[in-house]
Amino acid sequence: MRNLSLKQLQAVAAVARLGTMTRAAQELNVTSAALYARIRQLEEEAGLLLFDRTPGGLKPTDAGREMLWAIDSINTVLETCTDRLRTLRGAEGGRVALGVVSTAKYFAPQVIAGFVKKHPGVEISLSVRNRGQTVEALRGYEIDFALMGRPPRDFPIEAATFGPHPIVLIAPPDHPLAGRAGLNREDLADQPFFLREEGSGTRMVFEEFMAGVLVKRAPLDIDTGSNETIKQAVMAGLGIALLSVHSVAAELESGRLVLLNVKGLPIRRDWYAVRRADKVLGPAASAVWSYLMAEGARSLPGVAQSGLALTGVRA
């Protein structure tokens, strides 16, 4: 298909998004007849239908989806070109799309606040998701870079650490194991645990740490994707949980929660800033990245909350 043009691909994308030739023609500011001819020419050259007629409108066929993949790839190249040009201009300001895993929401606003005081012209879009969703946003170029505890390994990335991320075991102050020193993992076998959702970084750490020990689940079915819900359940005396120290700093300081002194805890992990290896950061995103490397650790809550917090082992 040597004569394939960007206009033709944009026509396919418009029809796929809007579902009708008429609406797509209006958006593209062409007649319905002209748009139909453009799509028909593409189908003749490809030898395949690009759309199926359904009760819900025109839906792309497999061939149509290949065309959509092509326009997405072209848009990515154009965006990369724009980023490179912006980098060459060295312009200040702009917009940064920052993605963070749910645990990072406890310090990301402080990082952003510190940065915008020095760079008031930069607009930052912050998205908070679970680890899987954040990785997919990174993979799909939806964000400039992400903050997470464990970088992905199934596509090329660049990652840099900017601060410690201890994982601790929390319990209510009146828990039978509270205040006891030198506990072993086996001492936890009969304790009801609240676990984060499958695929979360904290869940992975828990499974590694408790490997070989039969774990009892807490007798309450809750949304384990929520640190806040888990904390409330632990404070209510319904179980214990392994969580990031950043997510429980306020409760530890107020005495509503305590850390259990278990050998091997806290588990020392690190926070990473992660971007795609082929993602060129513009001046604004580069400035946020540099600020994070220099100042990010100062925004981390709870690291010095307890003498335990810096004495554990690395995961």
Side-chain angles (χ1 to χ4, degrees), residues 9-10 27 268 278:
L9 289 174
Q10 290 172 335
E27 180 178 279
R268 281 293 310 274
D278 58 354

Side-chain angles (χ1 to χ4, degrees), residues 8 21 33-46 48-50:
Q8 288 174 315
M21 290 283 184
L35 180 59
Y36 177 81
R38 193 178 296 176
I39 298 296
R40 185 59 184 160
Q41 181 183 1
L42 267 178
E43 291 179 328
E44 289 176 353
E45 291 186 21
L48 295 164
L49 290 176
L50 300 182

Side-chain angles (χ1 to χ4, degrees), residues 193-195 201-211 215 242 267:
F193 271 93
F194 289 106
L195 308 181
T202 307
R203 177 65 173 265
M204 294 177 188
V205 172
F206 174 86
E207 291 173 347
E208 292 171 2
F209 180 70
M210 295 298 290
V215 175
L242 196 72
I267 297 172

